[in-house]
């Protein structure tokens, strides 16, 4: 929410209805009202659940107090979700310990709220990356295009990873291959990138591996799924831009 009419309005109204976790590092329920310390924006960062533990709460701020209400969401109900954190909030419990919360939004945009940082770890899920890639199917191919209406091959992989995982890949297929850990065919994981050309030093095409020997890529026919072993492609290697959570 954008800041309006000064800090007082922003803190008392802009945070109403947002969600927060009600458990601290010790696993004990937070006090109904804890001391507000500070809140600020942060560089958008993606997170996944560290475990199935964790519940979300509505919160409100009155004067210097943060008040948590009844539980609204459970991390266990979102096993394949990637969360994007855009704000952080510090609050102090009655024992004097300060806790850090992130304001996160699911990549689908359907769920958002404040969550104790200890329930999360950095990263993205394959389900989120694949959903983003799948949503581009049928869009046109255009050399040099980076989306959102048309793509070239590396423009597509760059766009998908940026949107789904807040990860900025290099612009060209060759530079994407050069930038990341190389993996063998036998160790391929969904979300890895497959590269094609005449050699590892002359790469002309890239696609994202989606399992069962197939990839999702942008080529002359647009954004499609096809076999990595299609006769018109000569695979020269694979790379892993990020280890994705299942």
């Amino acid at each position: 929410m954008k800041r309006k009419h000064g800090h007082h309005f922003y803190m008392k109204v802009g945070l109403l209805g947002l969600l927060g976790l009600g458990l601290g590092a010790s696993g004990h329920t937070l006090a109904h009202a804890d001391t507000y310390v500070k809140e600020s924006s942060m560089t958008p960062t993606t997170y996944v659940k560290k475990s199935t533990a964790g519940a979300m709460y509505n919160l409100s701020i009155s004067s210097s107090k943060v008040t948590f209400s009844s539980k609204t969401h459970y991390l266990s109900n979102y096993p394949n979700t990637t969360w994007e954190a855009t704000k952080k909030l510090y609050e102090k419990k009655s024992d004097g310990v300060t806790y850090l919360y992130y304001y996160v939004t699911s990549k689908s945009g359907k769920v958002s709220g404040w969550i104790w940082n200890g329930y999360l770890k950095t990263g993205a899920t394959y389900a989120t990356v694949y959903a983003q890639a799948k949503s581009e199917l049928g869009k046109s191919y255009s050399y040099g295009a980076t989306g959102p209406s048309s793509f070239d091959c590396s423009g597509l992989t760059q766009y998908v990873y940026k949107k789904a995982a807040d990860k900025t890949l290099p612009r060209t297929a060759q530079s994407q291959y050069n930038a990341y850990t190389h993996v063998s065919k036998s160790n391929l994981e969904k979300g890895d990138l497959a590269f094609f050309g005449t050699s590892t030093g002359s790469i002309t095409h890239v696609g994202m591996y989606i399992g069962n020997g197939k990839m999702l890529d942008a080529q002359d026919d647009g954004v499609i799924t096809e076999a990595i072993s299609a006769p018109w492609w000569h695979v020269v290697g694979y790379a892993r831009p990020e280890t994705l959570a299942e």
Side-chain angles (χ1 to χ4, degrees):
M1 178 176 291
K2 293 183 178 179
R3 186 169 184 170
K4 298 179 180 179
H5 310 306
H7 182 73
H8 182 71
F9 180 92
Y10 175 66
M11 292 309 305
K12 295 194 68 176
V13 179
L15 292 179
L16 284 174
L18 299 183
L19 307 176
L21 269 180
L23 298 178
S26 64
H28 296 153
T29 303
L30 287 167
H32 289 293
D34 299 315
T35 302
Y36 167 78
V37 179
K38 67 177 180 178
E39 185 263 357
S40 63
S41 298
M42 59 184 287
T43 301
T45 307
T46 53
Y47 292 90
V48 294
K49 64 179 179 61
K50 184 178 290 185
S51 69
T52 57
M56 294 181 180
Y57 290 71
N58 287 319
L59 67 81
S60 61
I61 291 178
S62 178
S63 298
S64 62
K65 296 296 182 181
V66 180
T67 302
F68 293 82
S69 64
S70 60
K71 299 176 182 178
T72 57
H73 296 282
Y74 295 85
L75 281 183
S76 58
N77 292 332
Y78 303 92
N80 299 313
T81 298
T82 299
W83 306 93
E84 182 175 75
T86 54
K87 299 178 184 178
K88 54 187 175 181
L89 168 74
Y90 293 92
E91 62 88 28
K92 184 181 294 185
K93 292 180 64 176
S94 58
D95 60 5
V97 178
T98 298
Y99 292 92
L100 170 62
Y101 293 80
Y102 292 136
Y103 182 71
V104 297
T105 303
S106 63
K107 281 294 187 174
S108 67
K110 295 180 180 179
V111 180
S112 60
W114 291 98
I115 186 170
W116 178 56
N117 75 303
Y119 286 126
L120 301 175
K121 61 182 180 180
T122 56
T125 67
Y126 170 70
T128 301
V129 173
Y130 176 66
Q132 182 64 54
K134 188 177 180 181
S135 71
E136 312 307 331
L137 285 170
K139 292 186 178 179
S140 63
Y141 175 88
S142 179
Y143 180 76
T146 58
S149 58
S150 62
F151 299 92
D152 67 11
C153 63
S154 55
L156 174 66
T157 52
Q158 183 186 60
Y159 182 86
V160 166
Y161 264 90
K162 182 61 177 178
K163 292 284 286 185
D166 287 319
K167 189 175 188 69
T168 302
L169 273 58
R171 176 61 191 91
T172 67
Q174 183 71 63
S175 59
Q176 289 178 11
Y177 177 79
N178 293 343
Y180 301 110
T181 301
H182 299 157
V183 296
S184 65
K185 182 178 180 180
S186 61
N187 290 321
L188 269 179
E189 295 180 0
K190 294 176 182 178
D192 288 346
L193 302 182
F195 296 89
F196 307 84
T198 57
S199 69
T200 57
S202 182
I203 291 172
T204 57
H205 188 66
V206 60
M208 189 182 85
Y209 178 62
I210 59 173
N212 299 317
K214 294 183 178 181
M215 65 177 175
L216 194 153
D217 66 330
Q219 48 115 298
D220 288 346
D221 294 328
V223 181
I224 64 171
T225 59
E226 60 178 328
I228 288 177
S229 60
W232 45 87
W233 298 124
H234 176 245
V235 63
V236 295
Y238 306 93
R240 182 167 299 152
E242 183 167 340
T243 298
L244 300 173
E246 285 292 338

